[in-house]
Every structure is written in structure tokens, then in C-alpha cells.
Amino acid sequence: MSRTAGDGPTGAGAPTPGGGDPDAAEFERLRARKKERQGNAESAAVRDVTVGEDRVVLTLGFDWTADTDRLAYDLDDDRDVLRLEALAESRGFAFEQVSFLEGETLDVVYTGGEWVPEAHLAHAEGEGSVRETFRAELRLLGRELARLPTALRRLVRVARTMTAKQAIIAVVLVKKLIVIALVAWLVL
């Protein structure tokens, strides 16, 4: 690289005794700082996918820095599984094919403290549209309801098959039962 008068002193680019170029390190730090602004979108390559018994870790690399970033997903956490499913689906893979993400390029957004793939912005705190966030929460609720005991699952099944008129009558009856229970509790 040729230097101009505006680049600073010419002796500053001399290698340090440790072998690193201080100008190059400073340049990379400044470039990373410029890229890491809230809402900035970048492309990142998935360099490594590690699938374990209870955890999946993706290592992301950027073309503008040698540093990597890690995305860790806990397979025991429904939110993390939902994020990982959304990420795999965004690249055309099923959840079971998450290891195929290695070598893929992802669009990521900086949220102020971390890089988040655009595929699961709806699941990031304070990000995504209201509709996306609502749909994500409904999917989580569905997962939680699937784990309920049989009696509660039957109740959910009945609630799903109710007409609007039946649902209104059920809500009115439940409210009356709650009022009666509260009055009985106060009297007794």
C-alpha cells in the first residue's frame, strides 16, 4: 500500500517486535467498530457447525475481519430450537439437516450486542415485526401445549373446535364461576 501525506507518519507502519503490524490491527478494529452498529446488516459465512447431544454451535466468519462469532443453540430450550428451525428453513433445510448449514452464507443483523441471523429476528428481543413475534410466540405456545397432560390436551382440543358462540358462552360461564369462588372465599 502506498502512503500519502494524510496517512500519518511513515514509521508508524513498521512491524512491531511481536510480528504484528499495529496499523493493520488498528485498521481492522476501526472497520469492525464501523460494521458493528445497531441495525447494520452484513453477510456471514458459516465456517463450522458443531452438533452435540444438547447443543448446536455455529461459527460465523465475516470477510472484513479475521475474528469469528459463535451462535449457540440449547436444544433443551424451546426458543432456541425455534430459532434454529427458522434458520435451517430459511436456507431450505429441515431441522434435522442443520449440519448442512456449514459453508452457507447467512444474512445477519447487528442488534447492539450480537450478530443475529435475519431468519430469527422475530425471536430476538426488541427486533422483528409485531406479526412475526406474535407468530413465534404462538408456535412456542403450541409446543408447550403439546407437552401438557392428557386432560389439558383434551381441553385444548375442545377449545379449538368451539364455535365463536360457544367460546363466548364458555368465557361468561368461567367468569361467573370465578366470581362465585371469590365470594365463597370471602364469606367463608
Side-chain angles (χ1 to χ4, degrees):
M1 175 174 117
S2 64
R3 292 196 159 274
T4 61
D7 287 335
T10 57
T16 59
D21 185 3
D23 282 346
E26 180 67 13
F27 177 73
E28 185 172 322
R29 187 184 69 78
L30 290 173
R31 185 167 32 166
R33 186 181 233 176
K34 181 180 178 183
K35 299 280 186 176
E36 292 177 343
R37 291 197 175 147
Q38 188 163 354
N40 187 30
E42 291 289 329
S43 292
V46 179
R47 293 189 179 161
D48 184 45
V49 177
T50 306
V51 180
E53 290 284 326
D54 56 351
R55 191 173 176 169
V56 174
V57 178
L58 277 66
T59 305
L60 301 179
F62 298 94
D63 59 355
W64 44 268
T65 183
D67 294 337
T68 58
D69 198 28
R70 294 170 41 122
L71 301 174
Y73 300 93
D74 182 12
L75 296 178
D76 293 331
D77 183 13
D78 285 340
R79 288 188 188 281
D80 281 354
V81 171
L82 196 60
R83 289 179 185 132
L84 194 54
E85 280 180 353
L87 183 61
E89 288 173 5
S90 73
R91 304 309 303 162
F93 298 115
F95 177 70
E96 296 80 17
Q97 298 172 320
V98 73
S99 61
F100 294 162
L101 288 173
E102 191 167 327
E104 290 286 322
T105 302
L106 303 176
D107 294 325
V108 293
V109 176
Y110 194 73
T111 61
E114 63 181 351
W115 289 99
V116 176
E118 284 184 351
H120 56 71
L121 271 181
H123 311 286
E125 182 122 358
E127 298 293 328
S129 70
V130 173
R131 182 172 31 147
E132 290 173 329
T133 305
F134 182 73
R135 288 179 59 209
E137 292 299 321
L138 277 179
R139 288 181 71 184
L140 282 172
L141 179 63
R143 285 173 185 262
E144 291 171 12
L145 290 176
R147 294 185 186 154
L148 292 176
T150 309
L152 291 175
R153 274 191 265 153
R154 268 192 244 132
L155 179 64
V156 169
R157 195 176 314 126
V158 167
R160 285 183 178 171
T161 60
M162 293 173 87
T163 64
K165 189 175 186 178
Q166 291 171 332
I168 292 170
I169 292 171
V171 168
V172 169
L173 287 175
V174 168
K175 282 184 177 181
K176 287 184 180 191
L177 288 174
I178 290 172
V179 169
I180 292 171
L182 286 173
V183 168
W185 181 72
L186 289 173
V187 172
L188 301 176

